[in-house]
Amino acid sequence: NAGVTQTPKFQVLKTGQSMTLQCAQDMNHEYMSWYRQDPGMGLRLIHYSVGAGITDQGEVPNGYNVSRSTTEDFPLRLLSAAPSQTSVYFCASSYNRDRANYGYTFGSGTRLTVV
Amino acid sequence: AQTVTQSQPEMSVQEAETVTLSCTYDTSESNYYLFWYKQPPSRQMILVIRQEAYKQQNATENRFSVNFQKAAKSFSLKISDSQLGDTAMYFCAFMKGIYGGSQGNLIFGKGTKLSVKP
């Protein structure tokens, strides 16, 4: 059981480039979400999904795009990378929204640097 | 809107001693959940303990326990018999509840970096 898998683990981008951070889970979890972690800021919610075909914005959605075509995958797209998007990105999932209060399963994170 | 405040950016404790990490939150909700997550240097986020707001009894998980003061909106974490492996960033987090379950999204504090010294 792999849990939540994030790829890549590290990435360096140039300003203006686009890329997709991958997140996949094999636990048949309906609820998936993306957070970014910045020094001194804790984790902040970017986007989330309560099931395939359904996504919604979190606290800091600007500059990011998501889609959920399957239950397993929830990719995060950076449309035109900016230095302000330098951060560590975490994907997290739970069985469903109602049971998220039992805790998430987190991926191991992607450290993104935009130069 | 809900907010979570951790007022101690860094703390240190000697091995085998007890340490308490502070967390306060602000909400107008009556149904919610509170969590402590641990992030060791490996970067992995690990759930340490959770508390349901409608339960008076403080949650306990082995050496970890909480002091939940609902009226004061305080949720501190006590680590007893500290071990070197407890060295990590600790995040307090809030989740709104809805009837029969939860809203799903976590609101995190900024974290407390705990160092356990030998």
Side-chain angles (χ1 to χ4, degrees):
Chain A
N1 191 344
V4 177
T5 302
Q6 288 186 239
T7 56
K9 294 192 183 305
F10 302 92
Q11 183 70 47
V12 179
L13 281 182
K14 292 183 178 179
T15 298
Q17 286 184 320
S18 63
M19 79 159 295
T20 299
L21 306 184
Q22 301 292 344
C23 176
Q25 52 86 14
D26 60 357
M27 298 171 286
N28 201 30
H29 283 180
E30 292 183 354
Y31 180 86
M32 297 184 74
S33 54
W34 278 101
Y35 287 83
R36 61 176 287 174
Q37 180 180 14
D38 301 298
M41 294 294 294
L43 282 77
R44 293 179 293 169
L45 181 65
I46 305 171
H47 285 286
Y48 65 96
S49 169
V50 299
I54 306 169
T55 64
D56 206 346
Q57 296 181 353
E59 180 186 355
V60 288
N62 292 341
Y64 307 96
N65 198 4
V66 293
S67 60
R68 184 97 180 268
S69 56
T70 67
T71 299
E72 293 78 19
D73 300 299
F74 189 44
L76 178 72
R77 297 181 186 85
L78 280 69
L79 307 173
S80 177
S84 61
Q85 293 179 303
T86 293
S87 188
V88 178
Y89 292 85
F90 285 96
C91 181
S93 73
S94 71
Y95 183 73
N96 58 30
R97 193 173 203 176
D98 284 345
R99 291 177 58 177
N101 67 79
Y102 288 94
Y104 292 167
T105 300
F106 280 87
S108 58
T110 295
R111 180 177 292 278
L112 175 68
T113 302
V114 182
V115 297
Chain B
Q2 290 80 26
T3 59
V4 177
T5 302
Q6 294 178 249
S7 59
Q8 306 150 314
E10 293 193 39
M11 295 188 71
S12 64
V13 64
Q14 292 295 130
E15 195 175 8
E17 293 187 347
T18 295
V19 63
T20 298
L21 280 57
S22 300
C23 174
T24 59
Y25 58 95
D26 189 24
T27 184
S28 59
E29 304 291 334
S30 58
N31 182 17
Y32 53 88
Y33 303 86
L34 295 164
F35 306 83
W36 280 98
Y37 277 88
K38 169 185 177 181
Q39 186 181 45
S42 67
R43 205 168 68 192
Q44 186 68 42
M45 293 289 288
I46 303 164
L47 178 62
V48 175
I49 201 165
R50 64 185 282 275
Q51 175 78 42
E52 300 170 2
Y54 57 86
K55 288 190 174 178
Q56 298 272 10
Q57 187 173 4
N58 289 326
T60 300
E61 289 287 343
N62 300 315
R63 298 183 295 106
F64 298 88
S65 61
V66 298
N67 184 4
F68 174 47
Q69 301 289 325
K70 190 172 184 178
K73 296 180 181 176
S74 172
F75 183 61
S76 60
L77 175 70
K78 186 172 81 171
I79 305 174
S80 304
D81 185 25
S82 297
Q83 301 175 359
L84 296 178
D86 295 334
T87 292
M89 183 74 81
Y90 287 82
F91 291 99
C92 179
F94 172 100
M95 182 182 292
K96 179 181 173 181
I98 58 176
Y99 180 75
S102 62
Q103 187 264 352
N105 299 338
L106 278 172
I107 299 168
F108 286 87
K110 295 182 179 182
T112 296
K113 185 177 182 181
L114 176 67
S115 298
V116 180
K117 301 184 185 303

